[in-house]
Amino acid sequence: MNWTETALINSQPRRWLQRFYEVPVLLRIGGRLPPGSAALEIGCGSGYGSELVLQRFGADRIDALDLDPAMIDRARKRLASYGNRVSLVSGSATDLRAALNADDDAYDAVFDFGIIHHIPQWRTAVAEAARVLAPGGRFYFEEVTAHALDRPTYRRLFDHPIGDRFTAEQFVDELRRQGLLILGSVNRIQGDYLLGVASKPVADGGGR
Ligand SMILES: C[S@@+](CC[C@H](N)C(=O)[O-])C[C@H]1O[C@@H](n2cnc3c(N)ncnc32)[C@H](O)[C@@H]1O
């Protein structure tokens, strides 16, 4: 992430948007987590999202990872008061076994607050999120589409991988290809952003 995006992502308006718009939408679709739940946040940045997962979604504990060690340092400061409910790791969302030693079905919920569009091998990150979700677990996502990334302002101000980005439909198709079920409807904002929840089916084919 370049300087401009780091500043924007950590700005007060973005935090308000996340807390007062995105979280209520995600809660309405996917609900709070059952007591005792273990969550994972991929691309946690400075840890604001992980704090929301603990406070608003009711996770008992969270593992949070980011490729950028400087972000992990920021998250560690922000989340220090949660003690051993939080574990922070520097590593890639494309290989959760290497980063976290994460087994299949390890988490009740995985959170993606605007990170997968940063990953060149974005399908691998989706596959990893699906792999580590327990049956009945939820994948909460907020993503940025190829349409937004192609806008001149985005291209001028930010630094994203180019080529093989996804539309909302392609992202949802990839979730389905990885065996996840889309819950309710996916919120699409001007073709630029999408917000939704998918569930890993339990053995009989139903969601939790
Ligand atoms: C747009 S920021 C979002 C940060 C945070 N989720 C938030 O909403 O404030 C994207 C984050 O993804 C991280 N990132 C990029 N590629 C990654 C990867 N392969 N694995 C884990 N994190 C990655 C970046 O370092 C950055 O912190």
Side-chain angles (χ1 to χ4, degrees):
M1 238 181 1
N2 66 10
W3 183 91
T4 327
E5 191 172 7
T6 303
L8 179 77
I9 282 291
N10 291 293
S11 68
Q12 205 55 51
R14 151 80 178 149
R15 294 308 179 206
W16 285 332
L17 189 70
Q18 199 173 4
R19 179 176 284 271
F20 297 114
Y21 174 69
E22 294 175 6
V23 167
V25 169
L26 294 174
L27 280 170
R28 200 161 53 241
I29 303 171
R32 276 173 65 87
L33 307 181
S37 290
L40 167 68
E41 187 189 1
I42 55 174
C44 64
S46 64
Y48 187 81
S50 289
E51 192 159 30
L52 292 172
V53 173
L54 292 164
Q55 291 177 352
R56 302 285 302 282
F57 290 86
D60 187 53
R61 57 192 190 284
I62 187 164
D63 290 345
L65 98 159
D66 200 285
L67 200 55
D68 182 350
M71 285 294 161
I72 291 296
D73 286 346
R74 289 172 73 158
R76 189 160 281 124
K77 288 191 187 97
R78 181 192 297 281
L79 299 166
S81 64
Y82 292 94
N84 61 11
R85 292 177 66 198
V86 176
S87 171
L88 289 154
V89 170
S90 174
S92 178
T94 55
D95 190 349
L96 298 173
R97 218 181 274 285
L100 290 163
N101 206 16
D103 284 333
D104 296 357
D105 307 345
Y107 295 98
D108 301 297
V110 176
F111 288 81
D112 156 27
F113 289 115
I115 165 220
I116 289 182
H117 68 281
H118 271 275
I119 302 181
Q121 311 83 357
W122 65 271
R123 293 179 186 82
T124 309
V126 171
E128 276 294 85
R131 179 183 72 76
V132 300
L133 263 184
R138 305 260 155 106
F139 178 55
Y140 296 81
F141 56 91
E142 175 252 302
E143 268 306 333
V144 182
T145 67
H147 189 249
L149 299 177
D150 268 350
R151 288 186 185 278
T153 39
Y154 257 82
R155 294 170 76 97
R156 203 172 311 123
L157 291 176
F158 307 132
D159 184 17
H160 290 100
I162 45 172
D164 191 27
R165 300 299 82 197
F166 46 81
T167 62
E169 288 68 27
Q170 286 167 331
F171 190 77
V172 166
D173 283 350
E174 192 60 25
L175 297 180
R176 292 199 175 107
R177 215 173 66 80
Q178 293 301 331
L180 301 182
L181 304 170
I182 305 299
L183 300 182
S185 60
V186 174
N187 276 42
R188 292 158 205 233
I189 302 148
Q190 291 189 325
D192 283 4
Y193 307 99
L194 67 159
L195 201 55
V197 186
S199 161
K200 185 160 174 176
V202 291
D204 67 4
R208 176 157 55 194

